[in-house]
């Protein structure tokens, strides 16, 4: 098993959570088209940030709710955190939170 994946999986206690996180991480890895987990863990900050931001934009286009986008991002974020990779968490969180921005106005639900 690749070292970066072992470190990631070591942070997850529940078998159910492990299955869910692996599915989410596998989906992210496939989406990035990177070769493997160790390659993903070796990326620099700017590449990681770009991938995470673009993944949020991709998920937004699927009209997912904020909570679903958070869920999809939880595994990649844990993977990068456990492998001591730096990315701009505030930017990611603000982008996720802004995923529903303007939808109320579009749907006529101004409050």
């Amino acid at each position: 098993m690749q070292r970066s994946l072992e470190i990631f999986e070591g942070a997850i206690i529940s078998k159910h959570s492990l299955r869910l996180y692996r599915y989410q991480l596998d989906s992210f890895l496939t989406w990035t088209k990177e070769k493997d987990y160790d390659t993903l863990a070796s990326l620099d900050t700017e590449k990681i940030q770009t991938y995470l931001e673009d993944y949020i934009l991709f998920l937004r286009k699927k009209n997912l709710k904020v909570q679903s986008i958070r869920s999809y991002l939880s595994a990649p974020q844990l993977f990068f955190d456990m492998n001591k990779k730096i990315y701009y968490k505030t930017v990611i969180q603000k982008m996720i939170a802004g995923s529903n921005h303007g939808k109320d106005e579009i749907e006529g639900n101004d409050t």
Side-chain angles (χ1 to χ4, degrees), residues 49-61:
Q49 188 69 30
T50 299
Y51 273 151
L52 291 172
E53 290 172 3
D54 288 351
Y55 197 51
I56 292 167
L57 296 173
F58 167 75
L59 294 171
R60 276 185 185 175
K61 288 179 183 173

Side-chain angles (χ1 to χ4, degrees), residues 16-60:
H16 173 73
S17 294
L18 179 58
R19 279 193 304 272
L20 178 61
Y21 271 62
R22 270 301 297 271
Y23 174 78
Q24 293 168 340
L25 186 60
D26 289 345
S27 295
F28 180 74
L29 179 65
T30 299
W31 179 85
T32 66
K33 297 184 174 100
E34 292 294 340
K35 182 175 112 178
D36 56 29
Y37 297 107
D38 284 346
T39 302
L40 195 61
S42 71
L43 299 174
D44 65 23
T45 297
E46 289 304 314
K47 188 67 173 177
I48 291 168
Q49 188 69 30
T50 299
Y51 273 151
L52 291 172
E53 290 172 3
D54 288 351
Y55 197 51
I56 292 167
L57 296 173
F58 167 75
L59 294 171
R60 276 185 185 175

Side-chain angles (χ1 to χ4, degrees), residues 4-19:
S4 60
L5 187 59
E6 279 188 70
I7 291 169
F8 165 74
E9 289 185 352
I12 305 165
I13 298 168
S14 158
K15 286 185 179 186
H16 173 73
S17 294
L18 179 58
R19 279 193 304 272

Side-chain angles (χ1 to χ4, degrees), residues 3-8 37-38 41 77-86:
R3 183 176 188 279
S4 60
L5 187 59
E6 279 188 70
I7 291 169
F8 165 74
Y37 297 107
D38 284 346
Q77 287 182 294
L78 180 62
F79 176 83
F80 290 127
D81 288 343
M82 292 305 299
N83 283 283
K84 302 175 193 152
K85 301 305 290 187
I86 297 170

Side-chain angles (χ1 to χ4, degrees), residues 57-90:
L57 296 173
F58 167 75
L59 294 171
R60 276 185 185 175
K61 288 179 183 173
K62 296 176 113 185
N63 292 319
L64 297 175
K65 293 184 179 188
V66 169
Q67 191 55 40
S68 294
I69 294 173
R70 278 194 184 110
S71 179
Y72 276 96
L73 265 288
S74 60
Q77 287 182 294
L78 180 62
F79 176 83
F80 290 127
D81 288 343
M82 292 305 299
N83 283 283
K84 302 175 193 152
K85 301 305 290 187
I86 297 170
Y87 61 95
Y88 303 99
K89 293 178 185 179
T90 302

